[in-house]
Amino acid sequence: MDNERYSQEPFPFSKSDEEVIIRTSAYHRRDFDLAVARVDSREHEAVRESMTNSFERSSSSGNLGTLSTLPVEMIVEIYHHLDAQSLFRFRQVCLRTREMVSLVSEYQTFVKYALDVLCVVLRSDLGQHHTFRRMYATLCTLNCDSCDDFGGFVFLPSFTRCCISCIRSNPLVCVTTLHKASQSLLLSPRKLQQLVPVMRTLTGIYSMTEAPPKRRNYLLSRMQVLKALESEKVTNRQRHLSRLRSAGLRPPGTMYQYMASTALAYLAPSTGEVQRGICCTGCQILVEQNWVRRTRYETVYKDQDRVYSKQGYLDHFSRCIQSQQRWSESRGGMVAIEGSAFASRGGYFGKRDDVTWSYH
């Protein structure tokens, strides 16, 4: 640990100071959120209430057919095992089904806190592969599925938590196009679609280089293909496995990984607190002060881009000298101090023009 950047002893602060410390010394990287698959939340905000509530008029005339003979608790349990697309369609059958689906707590909670993510899932043709029970469990998962960092994103093909670092470089979230996988494995696209979830990409501007893709594409997870070939009875399975491992199925660059991910906030089920992840303003200021000339390049830039949970950041703050200095200069958050323009606007933006400028 660099003695010039980190204190030897933890910096003392009280629990009542925690929120003020975060407001003074941390910020949310909105440019990360905009680098992945997303929809315009303004398009769906008007329908949020109708998606969670049943109509006020009576639903007694609705007929569930043979389902009417089952107890309500059993019907709700059946809903838990339906994929998101099926459950969403079933809800539209009649007033009674709309009312019944509204009893599913996972559905209610996910639509309330992650409606945009649901829209991305449905538009990506992945609604038939993920249940609300699974999506709710991921919503309530704090850390990345591959490492121990805060997981502010979800890898769409498997709907597992991931972080921005894993999106950039982790082979576990490596994706390839359906066309390339078909050519490499000598399996038809239809056969691959039967083996693993295949997502359709959304239009937009992706990655930290803000690159617009030339066209929409179909993507699948390399790891899911590998697991499917190992477990399924596929003709010439060993030959396909050998081709998969040798080909790698990794396209140039990492834009496809951004296209196969979307931002997902963390929901603490016990308290209802929502976290979207925060970065250290002090570490960002060190980069702007050319600290990289005096220490390891990789270390500083890794800390600059590291995303923390609230508790994770407070642990970092207790050692980060630059953040402690900001806290002291602000006199415990009582005095406004000059900060970083990069942190104030939430990252770097060039082509993206739908950014709300804020500190958090």
Side-chain angles (χ1 to χ4, degrees):
M1 186 175 288
D2 193 332
N3 292 335
E4 295 183 72
R5 296 177 57 214
Y6 296 100
S7 59
Q8 295 296 311
E9 298 295 329
F11 184 81
F13 58 88
S14 65
K15 190 169 183 62
S16 61
D17 291 332
E18 292 179 354
E19 290 297 327
V20 184
I21 288 173
I22 291 173
R23 188 176 68 249
T24 305
S25 308
Y27 69 104
H28 178 65
R29 284 291 296 266
R30 181 158 167 74
D31 57 343
F32 288 165
D33 296 346
L34 299 180
V36 294
R38 60 193 177 94
V39 296
D40 187 345
S41 59
R42 294 167 294 187
E43 295 180 3
H44 309 98
E45 194 59 39
V47 301
R48 184 187 298 272
E49 185 175 353
S50 67
M51 290 182 66
T52 55
N53 299 330
S54 57
F55 291 126
E56 294 182 0
R57 60 182 183 271
S58 174
S59 61
S60 58
S61 60
N63 186 2
L64 295 179
T66 55
L67 284 177
S68 300
T69 62
L70 299 176
V72 173
E73 295 79 9
M74 186 173 293
I75 296 176
V76 172
E77 183 61 27
I78 292 173
Y79 292 164
H80 283 146
H81 297 278
L82 290 178
D83 61 76
Q85 180 175 294
S86 299
L87 186 65
F88 191 67
R89 288 177 176 175
F90 185 73
R91 186 176 182 270
Q92 298 172 331
V93 170
C94 65
L95 292 177
R96 182 57 175 159
T97 58
R98 182 188 180 99
E99 185 179 79
M100 295 293 290
V101 172
S102 296
L103 296 175
V104 181
S105 60
E106 290 89 344
Y107 170 85
Q108 284 273 358
T109 304
F110 198 87
V111 171
K112 179 180 179 180
Y113 292 103
L115 177 59
D116 290 354
V117 177
L118 174 60
C119 293
V120 169
V121 169
L122 295 175
R123 290 187 183 185
S124 302
D125 297 337
L126 289 173
Q128 61 184 310
H129 298 288
H130 305 313
T131 66
F132 273 101
R133 173 170 283 183
R134 174 169 184 77
M135 292 193 297
Y136 173 79
T138 302
L139 175 67
C140 299
T141 300
L142 179 66
N143 292 331
C144 173
D145 198 54
S146 301
C147 66
D148 212 24
D149 285 349
F150 176 81
F153 302 87
V154 62
F155 182 56
L156 290 166
S158 60
F159 212 84
T160 51
R161 279 283 182 187
C162 60
C163 62
I164 192 67
S165 298
C166 288
I167 291 174
R168 287 170 167 168
S169 59
N170 194 324
L172 294 178
V173 294
C174 173
V175 292
T176 189
T177 64
L178 179 62
H179 175 71
K180 183 171 182 179
S182 177
Q183 284 187 327
S184 301
L185 298 175
L186 301 181
L187 289 173
S188 69
R190 185 171 182 177
K191 180 62 179 178
L192 286 169
Q193 288 175 318
Q194 292 174 347
L195 290 174
V196 297
V198 176
M199 66 168 289
R200 189 184 185 199
T201 61
L202 305 183
T203 56
I205 299 176
Y206 290 93
S207 79
M208 303 311 296
T209 60
E210 299 187 327
K214 295 180 179 179
R215 62 182 181 277
R216 298 182 71 173
N217 220 319
Y218 291 90
L219 303 178
L220 46 80
S221 163
R222 178 186 182 276
M223 289 304 299
Q224 286 183 326
V225 173
L226 180 62
K227 290 180 180 179
L229 291 177
E230 289 176 339
S231 60
E232 296 288 334
K233 294 181 179 179
V234 180
T235 305
N236 297 321
R237 182 181 65 173
Q238 291 303 322
R239 186 179 69 178
H240 294 314
L241 284 170
S242 178
R243 285 180 176 273
L244 175 62
R245 294 189 178 101
S246 60
L249 293 183
R250 186 171 186 137
T254 58
M255 182 186 292
Y256 284 144
Q257 276 79 281
Y258 287 96
M259 298 171 79
S261 307
T262 192
L264 177 65
Y266 162 70
L267 172 67
S270 59
T271 63
E273 181 187 33
V274 176
Q275 296 188 39
R276 302 187 183 278
I278 50 179
C279 294
C280 178
T281 304
C283 291
Q284 172 59 36
I285 291 175
L286 287 179
V287 171
E288 296 174 8
Q289 293 176 346
N290 292 322
W291 187 272
V292 292
R293 296 180 180 178
R294 292 173 286 176
T295 188
R296 291 185 60 189
Y297 178 94
E298 298 86 354
T299 302
V300 175
Y301 276 91
K302 185 175 181 180
D303 288 346
Q304 175 202 23
D305 290 345
R306 188 182 297 278
V307 181
Y308 302 92
S309 64
K310 285 186 175 181
Q311 186 56 54
Y313 175 73
L314 291 171
D315 293 341
H316 169 79
F317 172 84
S318 68
R319 297 286 186 177
C320 179
I321 294 177
Q322 184 67 33
S323 294
Q324 296 164 13
Q325 289 176 351
R326 287 183 56 80
W327 171 248
S328 299
E329 291 170 5
S330 71
R331 298 180 185 177
M334 300 297 293
V335 178
I337 57 175
E338 183 178 353
S340 161
F342 182 95
S344 297
R345 63 177 178 263
Y348 167 78
F349 305 97
K351 299 177 184 177
R352 301 182 179 105
D353 57 0
D354 59 340
V355 179
T356 301
W357 285 43
S358 64
Y359 282 87
H360 301 289

